[in-house]
Every structure is written in C-alpha cells, then in structure tokens.
Amino acid sequence: MAVEPQFAAPALPEIAPLPTHVAIIMDGNGRWAQQRALPRHRGHRAGADNLRTVIERFTAHGVPMLTVFAFSTENWGRPRTEVEAILRLGSEFIDRHLSELDRQGVRLQHIGAVDRLPRSLQSKMRRAVAQTQANDRITLNVAFNYGGRADIVHAVQLLFAEGARPEDITEDAIASRLATAGLPEPDLLIRTGGERRLSNFLVWQAAYTEYHFSAALWPDFGAADIDAALLEYSQRRRRFGLVPGQDADDRQLEAGDNA
Ligand code: FPP
C-alpha cells in the first residue's frame, strides 16, 4: 500500500543528535497580546494556533515526542475570564485541529488531572486521545491542569494506597506512577518568553534535561527558533552526573555517585 505523504517537507538543516522528547513551556502569550493592544485571550488563541506550526516543524525534523504545558494547576488562580478563555481554547483547539492532526499521524495524549476540567472538555480530550491512539508519527502530550509537585505527591499517595513499605518507595516506583509513566524523560526543555524557570512543569522528569530559553514570545516562536534550539541541543555534552570521557555504562560506583 502506498504510504501517504505526511507534513510537506520544508528545507531543513541536518541536525544530530536530535532529542527524543522535547518539553515546551509556551510562555509570552499575554505580552504578545499586550504589544498589539489586544486582550490577553487573543494572545492565547495565537499561541494555540502556533502550536500547529511547531508540531509540523518538530515532525519534519523527526522528533518523535513533544509535551506542551498548556494549563498549570496554578493557572486556576488567574482572573476567571482568562481561565475560561484558556479552557475554551482547549476545546476549540480540538474542534479546529483534531482531524488534520490525526491525518498527519499525530498521537494526542493528555497529562494532568482531567477530572477538574469542564465535562465537555474532558470528553473532547478523551475522544481526541482515543481517535489518535494508533498514530505513530509524533506524540503530543498536552499537559492541561498539570502540576509537577502534585504529580509527585499523587504518585507517592498511590504507593501508600497500595500498602508500600519504606523500602518500596524507590525512584522507579515513583516514576512509574507519575502522569508520564512509560514515557522517556524529556531530553530538551524549551521555554519561550524570556523567563528562565521551570514553573512546576515536569519537576521530577526534568532532572537531567537540557534547557533552552528563547526570548521569542510563544505566538512568534517559529521554525528558525526551533532549528536554533535543536542545534544548540545537538552541541551539548550530556553527562548525567559522570565526568568527561565516561558514559553511563562506565559507572564505577553505584550509590552516591552523582557529583
Ligand atoms: C503562558 O503565557 C501561557 C499559558 C498560561 C497558556 C498556554 C495556552 C495556550 C498556548 C493555548 C492553549 C493550548 C492548547 C493546546 C489547548 P502567559 O499568559 O503567562 O504570557 P505572559 O507571560 O506574556 O503574560
């Protein structure tokens, strides 16, 4: 059977190695709107639209997984109108883009507490996840109502509920109960908008992640910015707590060797 062409292939710089999993903090929507004398929700809308472009570029490069921070547990504290606008955008994003994303081989996943979201958004997200499960071109994990600390607390609560003893509380036991269980840890985390912090995103999972901070506001973050982030990543030397010349398999000592 003929293989359907996926996203049109744009001119791409060759970059290696590429990250397997890129996490993104999509910051700067409010300032983008403010610069244009628009209400903040227009910035979020432009940001949601930009996500399509960003997925296309990462897909073209062959990056197999993205996780985007769309709504944090702390974002509930924003003005009610803004919270409602972001929740509405979540629904609209699915309405407007699901069939095209599906056609292009994007597998959608949700991470975070789905049950506090409006029922219509919950069911749309479940439908989008179910509809795209068999896709394997790129996975898009949408963190919506997600908080990194809450994720860890929840994992430990699960362990206790299972009757875990102190010696059962291991890194593997916690990692396999996080919202990201089974996913590779992010190799690269990109934050747009000029700020340089993690803001309670993948607190556990980003322990050995490389960071790239971009001054671009999220709605303006485009193909050239993505290429620059990937190029910078490809030039980093990842050491995972070891020294130059060693790799993870050369480890001499077991515990406590994380200098
Ligand atoms: C941070 O910008 C952005 C958010 C809190 C929301 C991100 C949401 C979207 C991109 C749209 C929803 C996307 C999907 C997939 C449903 P900010 O408001 O903090 O910007 P500022 O720092 O300039 O004020």
Side-chain angles (χ1 to χ4, degrees):
M1 200 174 79
V3 178
E4 283 254 320
Q6 302 283 337
F7 292 123
L12 280 180
E14 259 193 46
I15 298 174
L18 284 168
T20 298
H21 181 181
V22 178
I24 307 179
I25 300 178
M26 308 182 286
D27 195 15
N29 295 341
R31 279 165 285 162
W32 184 93
Q34 201 174 18
Q35 285 173 359
R36 290 158 179 78
L38 294 168
R40 288 179 60 84
H41 69 87
R42 292 284 299 278
H44 294 312
R45 167 178 275 274
D49 288 342
N50 190 43
L51 190 49
R52 270 294 312 280
T53 314
V54 168
I55 295 167
E56 285 189 26
R57 190 68 176 182
F58 279 108
T59 306
H61 274 288
V63 170
M65 182 171 289
L66 299 178
T67 298
V68 295
F69 207 7
F71 188 76
S72 76
T73 44
E74 289 70 35
N75 288 154
W76 290 107
R78 292 194 176 200
R80 197 167 59 90
T81 49
E82 182 165 343
V83 170
E84 285 171 357
I86 297 176
L87 294 174
R88 224 178 9 256
L89 268 174
S91 281
E92 276 177 33
F93 182 80
I94 294 169
D95 290 341
R96 292 171 60 209
H97 301 300
L98 177 61
S99 46
E100 178 60 15
L101 292 172
D102 189 17
R103 212 176 62 76
Q104 301 290 359
V106 180
R107 177 176 190 236
L108 278 164
Q109 299 272 56
H110 171 262
I111 65 168
V114 77
D115 44 344
R116 252 197 85 190
L117 297 174
R119 272 186 200 289
S120 61
L121 180 55
Q122 287 186 34
S123 58
K124 273 184 196 179
M125 279 194 177
R126 291 201 175 97
R127 186 166 54 80
V129 168
Q131 183 177 325
T132 60
Q133 268 328 273
N135 294 340
D136 58 4
R137 181 98 161 128
I138 189 167
T139 297
L140 176 69
N141 304 307
V142 181
F144 207 106
N145 198 18
Y146 176 82
R149 289 182 177 175
D151 196 8
I152 298 168
V153 169
H154 182 249
V156 175
Q157 285 172 341
L158 285 178
L159 271 165
F160 272 95
E162 291 163 22
R165 297 155 302 165
E167 59 270 32
D168 298 325
I169 317 275
T170 63
E171 292 193 11
D172 284 348
I174 292 174
S176 63
R177 285 161 182 80
L178 295 171
T180 51
L183 306 183
E185 290 184 353
D187 304 294
L188 171 65
L189 184 140
I190 297 172
R191 181 174 186 140
T192 62
E195 306 290 351
R196 293 169 176 242
R197 54 177 174 262
L198 193 52
S199 298
N200 199 23
F201 194 22
L202 301 163
V203 171
W204 175 285
Q205 298 88 336
Y208 283 102
T209 297
E210 299 292 325
Y211 290 77
H212 175 87
F213 299 104
S214 168
L217 303 177
W218 172 252
D220 295 328
F221 187 73
D225 301 303
I226 291 168
D227 296 354
L230 291 175
L231 188 65
E232 188 187 311
Y233 171 82
S234 73
Q235 291 161 351
R236 297 263 177 91
R237 181 92 172 78
R238 302 185 75 191
R239 287 170 45 190
F240 299 99
L242 306 182
V243 297
Q246 267 190 313
D247 63 33
D249 297 330
D250 288 341
R251 217 178 256 267
Q252 297 288 308
L253 300 170
E254 282 294 312
D257 180 27
N258 62 350

